[in-house]
Amino acid sequence: MLINWREIAQKIYDDIKNQVEKMENKPKLVVILVWNNSASLRYVAQKHKWAEYCWIDYELVHLDENISQEELETIINKLNKDDNVSWYIVQLPLAKHINEIKIIDLIDPKKDVDWFHPENQWKLLIWDESWFVPCTPAWIIEILNDFNIDFNWKKAVVVWRSNIVWKPATTLLINKWCTVTSCNSKTLDISKYTKDADIIVMAVWKPWLLTSDMVKKWSLIIDVWFTVIDWKIYWDCDTQEIDKKWCIITPVPGWVWAMTVAMLMKNTLKSALLNK
Ligand code: GUN
C-alpha cells in the first residue's frame, strides 16, 4: 500500500494556516540559496509556495553559486546579527567548494529553524524533542505516528549515513524505544537486517537497493530518496515489487518535498510562538 501523503501534508498546512491567520505578527522565514541544482531550486520553490499558503512571510536570498567561503560566512554573520531576521535556513547541499559543516556551525542556533546546528542536534541526542526536530526526520516520525503504531518493541533499520536525515532519524527512533540498526555502504549484507525489520528507512540515492526479497510482510518502509537516470525515476526501493507484500511504503518524489516543507513551516510557526 502506498501512503497518501497528500492528505497528511495538506492537513498540516491547513492547520498552520489557521493558526498563522490569527497572529498579529506573522512569522517570517529567510531562505539562503547558494547552489542552483535542480533539486534545490524545486525545494526552494516549494518553500515559497507553501509559506505563502500558510501566510508566513518569506524572503529568498539567492546568492551567486561561485560565492567564496569567506563571502558566505560574512553573509551568515550578518544574518546572525540582524534583529529583523529571526529564523533562516541555508538550503543544502552547498556547492562543492564550500565547507558545509563550517557554514552550519556558523548559523546562530537560536535562528536555526532547520535544527541542523550541532548545539541543536545535541538537544535531540539528550532526548529533548521539546524544541524542534530536523524536517525530514520529523515527517518520518509524523507518518509513522499517523499509523498509530506502537514503537516500543519495533525493530527499525535506517540505511545510509548523513547528518540531516540518518543521524537524527536514528536518534528519534531510539528515543521512541525502537531497537534500531544502522546500515551503510560498508555493511556486508543489508538484507540480513532489513528482512527482520518492522520499520525500514531508506535515504540512500541508490536505485532499487531494497528489493522485495529483502523485506518481510507488512513492514513499514519509508523511502526518502530517489535517483533520476535518463529521465526515469528510480526509488531506493523496488516499490512495485515490495508493494505486493502488503508493505506500507511512502511514494517519492513530490511528497518528500511537501512533507519536509510542511515540517519547516511547522518549525517556523513554533519558533514564532515560542518567541512572542
Ligand atoms: N536539503 C534537503 N533537505 C533540506 C532541509 O530540510 N533543509 C535544508 N536547509 N536543506 C535541505
Side-chain angles (χ1 to χ4, degrees):
M1 181 190 126
L2 292 178
I3 295 174
N4 185 352
W5 306 21
R6 193 175 292 267
E7 263 174 33
I8 303 175
Q10 191 63 49
K11 227 167 65 200
I12 297 167
Y13 285 123
D14 287 338
D15 184 48
I16 297 169
K17 185 183 177 174
N18 283 339
Q19 291 188 63
V20 176
E21 260 174 351
K22 293 181 198 115
M23 291 169 77
E24 210 170 294
N25 296 320
K26 305 279 181 260
K28 181 175 176 181
L29 175 69
V30 176
V31 174
I32 317 291
L33 177 65
V34 181
W35 193 28
N36 293 326
N37 71 71
S38 64
S40 290
L41 287 170
R42 284 189 68 178
Y43 240 127
V44 164
Q46 290 284 322
K47 284 170 185 173
H48 190 176
K49 173 181 157 184
W50 289 106
E52 263 186 4
Y53 181 87
C54 297
W55 295 75
I56 290 174
D57 286 341
Y58 175 91
E59 185 185 330
L60 175 67
V61 180
H62 197 159
L63 302 169
D64 188 314
E65 64 184 10
N66 295 317
I67 192 168
S68 69
Q69 177 82 26
E70 292 70 30
E71 283 168 322
L72 183 56
E73 286 181 10
T74 305
I75 289 169
I76 301 284
N77 279 323
K78 268 197 196 142
L79 285 169
N80 287 343
K81 287 191 192 119
D82 187 343
D83 288 338
N84 294 316
V85 177
S86 304
W87 308 284
Y88 69 91
I89 68 161
V90 179
Q91 184 64 34
L92 301 180
L94 293 170
K96 295 264 180 299
H97 67 280
I98 303 279
N99 183 332
E100 201 165 280
I101 304 269
K102 260 181 106 179
I103 296 297
I104 292 174
D105 224 14
L106 210 59
I107 296 173
D108 179 346
K110 289 188 215 70
K111 297 190 174 190
D112 169 30
V113 73
D114 257 333
W115 223 238
F116 286 170
H117 189 276
E119 204 176 285
N120 292 333
Q121 296 247 9
W122 173 248
K123 288 198 174 105
L124 279 190
L125 271 178
I126 55 166
W127 302 53
D128 182 358
E129 293 168 27
S130 55
W131 289 87
F132 306 115
V133 169
C135 302
T136 306
W139 71 248
I140 292 173
I141 300 297
E142 185 103 6
I143 283 195
L144 293 172
N145 276 336
D146 216 62
F147 281 94
N148 276 329
I149 66 161
D150 176 4
F151 286 90
N152 280 323
W153 47 268
K154 295 288 188 296
K155 287 183 215 153
V157 170
V158 187
V159 189
W160 198 227
R161 285 169 10 111
S162 74
N163 288 328
I164 66 170
V165 179
W166 169 80
K167 285 181 194 166
T170 303
T171 306
L172 290 172
L173 289 164
I174 291 170
N175 289 0
K176 287 206 165 293
W177 296 95
C178 285
T179 303
V180 186
T181 305
S182 153
C183 295
N184 55 58
S185 56
K186 304 250 191 291
T187 305
L188 284 182
D189 179 7
I190 287 176
S191 71
K192 204 169 121 193
Y193 307 96
T194 54
K195 266 180 188 161
D196 199 28
D198 305 295
I199 298 167
I200 303 172
V201 180
M202 301 290 293
V204 186
W205 281 290
K206 213 163 186 188
W208 293 350
L209 179 68
L210 193 76
T211 48
S212 67
D213 55 319
M214 294 166 72
V215 300
K216 66 178 182 186
K217 251 186 189 177
W218 288 115
S219 41
L220 280 154
I221 302 166
I222 308 286
D223 189 348
V224 181
W225 279 124
F226 62 94
T227 316
V228 180
I229 302 172
D230 293 334
W231 301 98
K232 195 166 179 262
I233 285 171
Y234 296 89
W235 284 258
D236 282 356
C237 312
D238 183 350
T239 313
Q240 284 185 352
E241 278 308 306
I242 292 176
D243 201 20
K244 291 179 189 150
K245 276 194 155 170
W246 303 290
C247 294
I248 313 268
I249 323 168
T250 54
V252 277
W255 288 92
V256 171
W257 286 309
M259 287 300 291
T260 303
V261 175
M263 295 299 123
L264 178 65
M265 298 305 144
K266 220 171 161 176
N267 279 1
T268 308
L269 169 62
K270 198 169 168 189
S271 315
L273 294 172
L274 285 170
N275 285 349
K276 75 179 173 181

